[in-house]
Amino acid sequence: MQSSRTSAKRLLALALGLGLASAALGTATPASAHTAAPDTTRAAYAPHAGTGESAAGNKAFFEAVLKSVAEKQAANPSLKSVTVYYNASQAPSFASQIASAASIWNSSVSNVKLQATSGTGDFAYYEGNDARGSYASTDGHGRGYVFLDYAQNQEYDSIRVVAHETGHVLGLPDHYEGPCSELMSGGGPGPSCTNRYPDATERAKVEQLWANGLAKALQKVDHVR
Ligand SMILES: [Zn+2]
């Protein structure tokens, strides 16, 4: 059994071992956040032709969230459960959908929890217009964010869109070819799909990824690099 100090150091070392860019922890702004991110770090809601972007985007986003959580955990070694904090203040039009998505996930899994904060979260939601639709990405400073596109959220079920993007926060990849019963099939099944809940397989994946806390999740990310 490690001392809490050792565990904290180890967590931070694991987080830094993810090879993310500098530990600069500036707060992302909508404009710089979503124009600064190269296409290779985006994970869109709907599939695009010839994309190899999604997997890279999912991974970069999840690593950014993990790194942020790890730093908080290292600063407060007594924290036992894994809570991922989000700031939704820059996506005011989607306040209710974001709250619903968090509640959907919190009622679907138990090893990791989502909680709103008005301070610096582990990731943030933004809203605006982007022809490429909604996506999860990183801001170039190692911080993750979810961008919600107005038009796409009118065409598709908005809570499903937000719950899908939030699925990336918890480590799930896109699976556009899947059925509507999967949350991570995203826009694949088309706008008529209104399922807002992860299926049993998706829930099990998240539970497994976050089982035994943060250190385990970090190690798993390291192993798939
Ligand atoms: Zn996605």
Side-chain angles (χ1 to χ4, degrees), residues 182-203:
E182 289 180 16
L183 194 50
M184 301 318 287
S185 58
S192 64
C193 173
T194 59
N195 167 47
R196 300 161 169 181
Y197 284 81
D199 74 3
T201 304
E202 292 172 324
R203 292 198 302 270

Side-chain angles (χ1 to χ4, degrees), residues 16-160:
L16 296 174
L18 291 173
L20 296 167
S22 80
L25 289 175
T27 303
T29 60
S32 68
H34 108 249
T35 52
D39 282 348
T40 51
T41 65
R42 287 171 194 275
Y45 177 71
H48 295 286
T51 182
E53 305 170 8
S54 291
N58 291 332
K59 196 157 164 300
F61 178 80
F62 184 48
E63 287 179 355
V65 170
L66 282 180
K67 177 170 172 286
S68 176
V69 174
E71 284 170 349
K72 209 165 288 176
Q73 201 98 358
N76 298 284
S78 61
L79 294 175
K80 293 280 184 252
S81 63
V82 182
T83 301
V84 177
Y85 291 89
Y86 65 88
N87 186 315
S89 62
Q90 299 301 312
S93 313
F94 297 99
S96 74
Q97 290 94 326
I98 290 168
S100 294
S103 141
I104 283 167
W105 275 111
N106 285 342
S107 67
S108 298
V109 297
S110 55
N111 290 342
V112 58
K113 293 294 175 188
L114 292 157
Q115 193 171 314
T117 178
S118 56
T120 304
D122 298 307
F123 75 103
Y125 293 93
Y126 292 98
E127 63 181 46
N129 293 299
D130 191 313
R132 290 162 295 193
S134 307
Y135 54 81
S137 191
T138 50
D139 66 2
H141 299 289
R143 290 191 65 79
Y145 70 98
V146 168
F147 177 83
L148 300 169
D149 174 62
Y150 294 131
Q152 188 176 54
N153 275 276
Q154 285 179 349
E155 184 183 3
Y156 292 83
D157 184 87
S158 189
I159 293 177
R160 175 174 163 85

